[in-house]
Amino acid sequence: MQLVAALPSRIPEIQKLIMASLREQTSATIDEDAVNQYVSRMVRDDHQLCVVACVNGKSKGVVIGEVGGHPFAKGLIAEDSFIYVKPAFRTPEAMQDLTECYAFWCMRIPNLIVSTLGSSQFGTAQSVAPVAEREGYTACTTYIKEHS
């Protein structure tokens, strides 16, 4: 798999990946317009992370990370919104590459107080755990890392 920065031309592919991820996680009705708006906003915002995992030029996975102001402190908080790989391509290495991409992005954020890892990890904990622990995240319901 090759990791590439998401460009606006990949928005339809990313939307399909996000919808597939959501369908794996819930039987609730998903608002596709809301997904489309979210993906468009994330791809076009230079402060957010949106990276696509490609095989032969086709999108097979995605990592999306969001950063924003911490609600109770002066600084920023980052969270993974989606780390998803299509089931046919879901190997420990693929999940590890996307998880490491997210962790590297977090290390580059100035004034980052805390980052979470795992909020998007439904059924992929075994793939995420080794990378999360190696990167200094603490296990709980989701992995949390304090930055200084």
Side-chain angles (χ1 to χ4, degrees):
M1 277 196 184
Q2 178 185 14
L3 300 182
V4 296
L7 299 173
S9 61
R10 291 211 184 257
I11 288 175
E13 295 171 39
I14 297 167
Q15 291 166 339
K16 288 178 185 174
L17 290 169
I18 299 301
M19 289 301 297
S21 172
L22 293 170
R23 286 186 183 115
E24 282 185 31
Q25 299 170 33
T26 182
S27 61
T29 302
I30 305 299
D31 182 344
E32 286 194 50
D33 288 335
V35 171
N36 295 344
Q37 290 173 19
Y38 171 79
V39 171
S40 181
R41 180 174 49 87
M42 295 304 292
V43 168
R44 288 178 167 86
D45 185 338
D46 292 338
H47 297 290
Q48 310 306 328
L49 172 70
C50 194
V51 171
V52 179
C54 296
V55 174
N56 298 324
K58 303 276 187 189
S59 300
K60 304 298 181 186
V62 64
V63 56
I64 297 178
E66 294 185 65
V67 64
H70 191 283
F72 311 117
K74 292 181 181 176
L76 300 171
I77 184 168
E79 65 179 328
D80 61 311
S81 299
F82 287 93
I83 299 179
Y84 178 77
V85 177
K86 287 183 174 182
F89 299 91
R90 197 174 289 161
T91 63
E93 295 80 15
M95 294 304 296
Q96 180 176 328
D97 288 349
L98 291 172
T99 303
E100 286 176 346
C101 178
Y102 170 79
F104 179 73
W105 173 72
C106 287
M107 289 187 312
R108 298 179 54 225
I109 300 170
N111 203 24
L112 185 65
I113 297 170
V114 67
S115 61
T116 63
L117 176 60
S119 60
S120 67
Q121 307 311 312
F122 292 89
T124 59
Q126 292 176 340
S127 300
V128 172
V131 177
E133 291 167 4
R134 184 180 68 239
E135 294 294 333
Y137 287 82
T138 302
C140 56
T141 304
T142 190
Y143 287 87
I144 299 172
K145 179 178 180 179
E146 292 186 48
H147 297 259
S148 51

